[in-house]
Amino acid sequence: MMGVKLTMADERTPLITTVAVAAPRRRYPHQTVRRFCSIALGSSLVALLVVFLVTVVYAPPYSHSRPWPGHGGEHLTFEKLQAILLDTPSAEKASEWSKYYTSGAHLAGQNLSQAEWTRDRWEEWGVASEIVAYDTYLNYPLENRLALLKKKTTGTGQSSDSWEVAFEATLTEDVLDEDPTTQLENSIPTFHGYSASGNVTGSFIYVNYGTFWDFEDLIRANVSLEGKIAIARYGGIFRGLKVKRAEELGMIGVVMYSDPGDDGGITEENGYQPYPLGPARNPSSVQRGSVQYLSIGPGDPTTPGYPSKPGVPRVPVDGVLASIPSLPISYAEALPILKALNGHGPQAKDINEYWTRNTGLGYKGVEYNIGPSPDDLVLNLVNQQNYTITPQWDVIGIINGTIPDEVVVVGNHRDAWIIGGAGDPNSGSAVINEAIRSFGQALDQGWKPLRTIVFASWDGEEYGLVGSTEWVEEYLPWISAANVAYINVDVGVASPTFSASAAPLLHDLLYEVTALVPSPNQTIQGQTVRDLWDGHISTMGSGSDFTAFQDFAGVPSLDMGFGGNAGVAVYHYHSNYDSYWWQSTYGDPGFLYHRTMAQVLGLTVAKIADMPLLAMNATAYATALKEYVEKVESKLAGSDLKPSSEAEIFEFRARGASAEVKGDRAAFERSFSQLYASIDEMKSAAVKLDAKAAKLAARAEEHIPWWHWVKKLKLFHQIRFTNTKYKKIERAFLYPGGLDGRSWFKHVVFAPGIWTGYAGGTTA
């Protein structure tokens, strides 16, 4: 440039030169304050966004701006939902469903059409449903025979080496003109599920009920059992355990019959006409059933602990299924066999008082001798079974709730040993259908449950709780994480007497719901199911589909129905006479109790699925635990009190272990003191948990304005935390290694008695 002298840079010129500059000019007079406000405002917006996202993602979707249980869409108060669940069930519809299910054979693995029909009905009522299949190990009858053989005599009166038939059992039930079900040509033969094939011949012995101590009595009486065939009465314990004990003692076969002495006062001996003319037992009725060793483990015996899916490895069935054949017969066909023992061996009265209880065939000429039968009189027992791997089908329906990890499962099994099954299980099938149809009405009005409800129509229950067990084994991780309760209805209606068994957590729920439902018996105006129920809740054992949930997965369960002993009409359990005609004539004329049971089921599901706080009581669990331990302690103390009730007697007679203490008695007694101390600690915590839950339930009903979102969020999380505690209580009693000798059972408090099978054993 002109007038400016430029100096060229060289290697001595500095790379950085200090340049003096003037202070920058401010654009705004309060620039620092504005910058601070911008940062603060941005941070606040980010914080509010984070709080919003946390609330949406983690807070339970409880709506406190309106009464419970309205969730989304059109609002339904609990009163409105309750009205729907009470008003919708129909006796006429229940009768219609019962007639459908009992119109054809539906043995496990042979009822796909019924599974599809059930799925289609549930879909019609708004419940998304599907069929879940399993490939299971089942048996079907091929051939059977039971004959009393007598050695022929020669003309000189000497015995020969040949035999003649003294009596041949038909092994069938009579066809009745009044009962159309008995006239169908595709009647299922009388047989035992999971029974062993075999053809055996030998002398025979009467073994009473075949309990553990019945066999011990025979051993102490020096009655030889090895190589003999056992004649056992049904009742008291699971039939499979009668076979198990006989097999262990070297017997070669078992025959079981139903003694009318166990029917209470409703017998021919007392002047009642037999079915169909009257309420007494039909002499030809036969109780079919499974002889799986149920107290060792239910489900498919070839896939213990994992689901029976195609291609899975299968284990041998040794030790879990019988190896000696067995057959069920009627008391009419047991008479010639029992009479053949008259005069042979000691009589029942010579053993002890437990052998003379409920003997109902004395008036027919039976002296109840033990035997064995003489050498010239034997039984030939033939039982040929076809064992196969075959599909069976569970139907699963879902009503999605708004909390993904709190789920209620409700189930009934569909399969039956006979064409009928109007009591077991299809009274329960009709009941659950009506409950689902009622929930469908609520769905139509915009209702959505808080918790997801899963409905199940199980297959294979009769063989050994197969369908439910395989399903639980397949979905165990999800069940463990989400399932809060299982509700079972097996025999929904077989009498007017309500009965229930349940985990202690659910006792209060049963009392509350039954007090809301009117009884069909209105001899006193306005009385409820609770008013006429004695309130007794049995301990959870086994024998129905709650077993895998309660004893394997640690899900608090309940089983209920109008199936108690009412002294009104004999229920023909697992017989052709458990038919629609019997149900509509003697069991539940008008199907009014079916309607009532659907109301009880619907409200039970609603209470557990749709209230903010789970309908559970932890204090009841702690109280029950103390009672269980006291019961065990009294047994070990050698109490002289004799059992009095039927349940107590059979539990006493089924004990396989001695009550004698082995080892250091003082140390054993100290262990009881420690156990009582732990239970006291649990009760203290349980009382606090229940009190907190009650307070939260009251607060959940309050209206919380939207601008108190912090208060609302806090309540959400308190409810969530409390419900999770309830959900984990039952799981805490699971032992991963399982019980000694029967590792499938994981619950250390509840399990079937080893030698009862049905009845619940505690502190296992």
Side-chain angles (χ1 to χ4, degrees):
M1 293 185 297
M2 296 297 295
V4 178
K5 183 179 180 179
L6 298 175
T7 302
M8 300 299 291
D10 58 25
E11 66 272 11
R12 291 186 295 273
T13 302
L15 294 177
I16 300 176
T17 302
T18 302
V19 179
V21 296
R25 185 170 57 87
R26 292 175 175 267
R27 296 179 61 188
Y28 306 104
H30 304 291
Q31 181 170 317
T32 301
V33 175
R34 289 174 61 87
R35 181 178 299 173
F36 174 80
C37 291
S38 297
I39 293 172
L41 181 60
S43 300
S44 298
L45 290 173
V46 170
L48 286 172
L49 178 62
V50 170
V51 170
F52 173 76
L53 292 175
V54 168
T55 303
V56 169
V57 173
Y58 293 104
Y62 306 143
S63 175
H64 298 278
S65 61
R66 55 194 177 192
W68 270 98
H71 316 293
E74 188 176 339
H75 167 49
L76 275 182
T77 65
F78 186 80
E79 290 73 20
K80 178 63 175 176
L81 177 62
Q82 178 174 313
I84 292 172
L85 298 176
L86 288 174
D87 295 343
T88 303
S90 159
E92 292 75 17
K93 286 291 185 182
S95 174
E96 181 181 340
W97 313 142
S98 176
K99 183 174 288 187
Y100 167 76
Y101 283 112
T102 60
S103 63
H106 44 296
L107 199 57
Q110 297 182 347
N111 57 56
L112 179 58
S113 63
Q114 282 200 0
E116 293 172 337
W117 182 93
T118 301
R119 176 201 59 197
D120 294 345
R121 297 293 80 70
W122 293 4
E123 291 271 4
E124 286 178 10
W125 301 326
V127 176
S129 303
E130 65 175 355
I131 293 176
V132 180
Y134 296 97
D135 281 1
T136 55
Y137 184 67
L138 302 177
N139 68 300
Y140 300 106
L142 296 174
E143 177 187 359
N144 56 24
R145 183 198 190 203
L146 186 66
L148 185 62
L149 305 180
K150 185 175 180 61
K151 188 168 283 189
K152 288 183 178 180
T153 56
T154 64
T156 60
Q158 299 294 318
S159 294
S160 69
D161 292 332
S162 59
W163 298 81
E164 62 183 355
V165 176
F167 168 71
E168 180 94 32
T170 66
L171 303 177
T172 61
E173 296 176 286
D174 292 346
V175 173
L176 308 177
D177 292 338
E178 296 86 349
D179 190 339
T181 300
T182 67
Q183 302 166 23
L184 298 176
E185 294 182 358
N186 59 339
S187 176
I188 298 171
T190 56
F191 79 109
H192 280 149
Y194 287 136
S195 59
S197 292
N199 184 337
V200 297
T201 301
S203 59
F204 48 98
I205 294 172
Y206 172 67
V207 299
N208 200 21
Y209 290 101
T211 66
F212 185 91
W213 278 100
D214 285 334
F215 282 110
E216 287 298 302
D217 289 339
L218 294 175
I219 293 170
R220 295 181 181 189
N222 295 316
V223 176
S224 175
L225 302 175
E226 190 169 356
K228 309 295 193 305
I229 294 174
I231 311 299
R233 301 167 63 175
Y234 271 118
I237 66 171
F238 184 66
R239 67 188 74 79
L241 300 178
K242 303 172 192 276
V243 179
K244 184 177 190 293
R245 190 59 180 150
E247 178 183 324
E248 290 177 349
L249 296 173
M251 304 191 80
I252 61 173
V254 179
V255 177
M256 299 183 210
Y257 78 99
S258 300
D259 195 301
D262 289 308
D263 292 335
I266 311 299
T267 63
E268 285 189 80
E269 185 179 11
N270 289 337
Y272 291 91
Q273 288 285 334
Y275 180 76
L277 301 179
R281 178 179 300 277
N282 185 290
S284 73
S285 68
V286 179
Q287 181 192 138
R288 300 155 181 80
S290 173
V291 290
Q292 183 186 39
Y293 298 164
L294 192 61
S295 58
I296 303 300
D300 187 328
T302 67
T303 60
Y306 57 96
S308 296
K309 288 295 187 177
V312 299
R314 297 183 181 270
V315 302
V317 296
D318 301 337
V320 294
L321 295 186
S323 62
I324 62 174
S326 64
L327 281 176
I329 63 173
S330 65
Y331 84 73
E333 298 200 318
L335 281 172
I337 299 170
L338 294 170
K339 286 182 180 180
L341 290 175
N342 286 353
H344 298 288
Q347 286 187 288
K349 65 182 180 181
D350 300 324
I351 305 295
N352 57 48
E353 69 270 29
Y354 300 111
W355 284 71
T356 56
R357 293 177 56 257
N358 302 334
T359 49
L361 294 174
Y363 81 109
K364 294 281 192 180
V366 175
E367 297 175 4
Y368 290 97
N369 282 81
I370 307 302
S373 60
D375 293 339
D376 64 346
L377 199 61
V378 296
L379 274 178
N380 174 230
L381 189 164
V382 178
N383 183 54
Q384 297 298 329
Q385 299 292 320
N386 174 36
Y387 273 89
T388 183
I389 304 293
T390 185
Q392 66 174 48
W393 307 277
D394 294 340
V395 181
I396 304 297
I398 299 177
I399 300 177
N400 283 313
T402 51
I403 303 179
D405 62 348
E406 291 182 8
V407 177
V408 181
V409 182
V410 189
N412 156 263
H413 76 92
R414 184 182 64 254
D415 63 303
W417 292 115
I418 62 273
I419 289 177
D424 181 14
N426 299 128
S427 60
S429 305
V431 163
I432 199 172
N433 278 0
E434 278 304 277
I436 293 172
R437 194 173 66 84
S438 300
F439 281 114
Q441 292 292 310
L443 290 171
D444 287 344
Q445 297 187 35
W447 171 77
K448 182 178 183 179
L450 181 61
R451 299 176 182 90
T452 293
I453 304 171
V454 175
F455 295 102
S457 173
W458 308 117
D459 196 4
E461 189 271 357
E462 294 292 7
Y463 276 81
L465 324 179
V466 179
S468 58
T469 299
E470 301 311 307
W471 191 81
V472 170
E473 289 174 345
E474 180 174 11
Y475 296 103
L476 182 61
W478 173 75
I479 289 170
S480 298
N483 194 182
V484 299
Y486 175 71
I487 301 168
N488 193 64
V489 177
D490 191 329
V491 180
V493 181
S495 81
T497 303
F498 186 78
S499 61
S501 59
L505 284 170
L506 302 175
H507 285 192
D508 284 2
L509 173 64
L510 273 171
Y511 294 137
E512 181 182 356
V513 169
T514 52
L516 295 173
V517 179
S519 169
N521 180 346
Q522 289 293 310
T523 51
I524 297 176
Q525 188 65 29
Q527 63 188 358
T528 65
V529 172
R530 178 68 184 93
D531 293 329
L532 293 170
W533 172 34
D534 64 8
H536 174 71
I537 301 176
S538 299
T539 303
M540 300 301 287
S542 187
S544 195
D545 290 303
F546 57 80
T547 303
F549 291 91
Q550 180 75 50
D551 300 340
F552 184 74
V555 176
S557 303
L558 69 85
D559 181 51
M560 58 184 172
F562 286 92
N565 184 9
V568 177
V570 172
Y571 172 51
H572 293 79
Y573 179 57
H574 289 179
S575 159
N576 277 343
Y577 307 134
D578 181 11
S579 63
Y580 179 83
W581 198 87
W582 178 88
Q583 182 72 268
S584 59
T585 305
Y586 293 102
D588 185 18
F591 285 79
L592 300 178
Y593 282 90
H594 282 69
R595 178 177 186 269
T596 299
M597 191 61 229
Q599 294 169 328
V600 171
L601 178 60
L603 285 183
T604 302
V605 174
K607 285 281 187 180
I608 198 74
D610 215 31
M611 301 300 287
L613 274 297
L614 287 172
M616 294 180 179
N617 187 284
T619 306
Y621 206 131
T623 301
L625 277 177
K626 187 172 184 179
E627 292 173 356
Y628 301 153
V629 175
E630 288 173 345
K631 187 177 179 181
V632 172
E633 189 176 26
S634 69
K635 292 176 184 176
L636 294 171
S639 174
D640 293 330
L641 291 175
K642 286 191 173 184
S644 55
S645 69
E646 288 285 304
E648 289 176 349
I649 289 171
F650 282 119
E651 190 274 336
F652 172 73
R653 297 287 290 170
R655 290 180 200 162
S658 169
E660 296 178 3
V661 176
K662 297 180 180 179
D664 187 346
R665 174 175 284 274
F668 200 74
E669 290 175 350
R670 284 195 299 272
S671 70
F672 272 108
S673 298
Q674 295 169 357
L675 191 54
Y676 282 125
S678 297
I679 292 173
D680 287 341
E681 289 181 15
M682 178 185 173
K683 186 169 185 178
S684 177
V687 169
K688 292 177 182 177
L689 178 62
D690 291 338
K692 182 177 181 180
K695 290 180 180 178
L696 291 174
R699 289 174 58 193
E701 297 296 327
E702 298 173 359
H703 173 70
I704 302 177
W706 68 268
W707 56 85
H708 288 165
W709 57 268
V710 175
K711 181 178 180 182
K712 181 179 291 190
L713 181 60
K714 183 179 179 181
L715 180 60
F716 287 165
H717 285 284
Q718 287 177 329
I719 291 175
R720 177 83 165 166
F721 181 75
T722 301
N723 283 342
T724 300
K725 277 195 168 184
Y726 278 119
K727 187 167 65 173
K728 290 182 176 180
I729 290 175
E730 204 76 67
R731 314 283 204 277
F733 291 99
L734 296 181
Y735 174 59
L739 305 184
D740 291 346
R742 43 183 184 153
S743 60
W744 185 91
F745 289 98
K746 309 297 184 185
H747 207 294
V748 298
V749 177
F750 300 116
I754 294 177
W755 287 106
T756 63
Y758 285 129
T762 53
T763 57

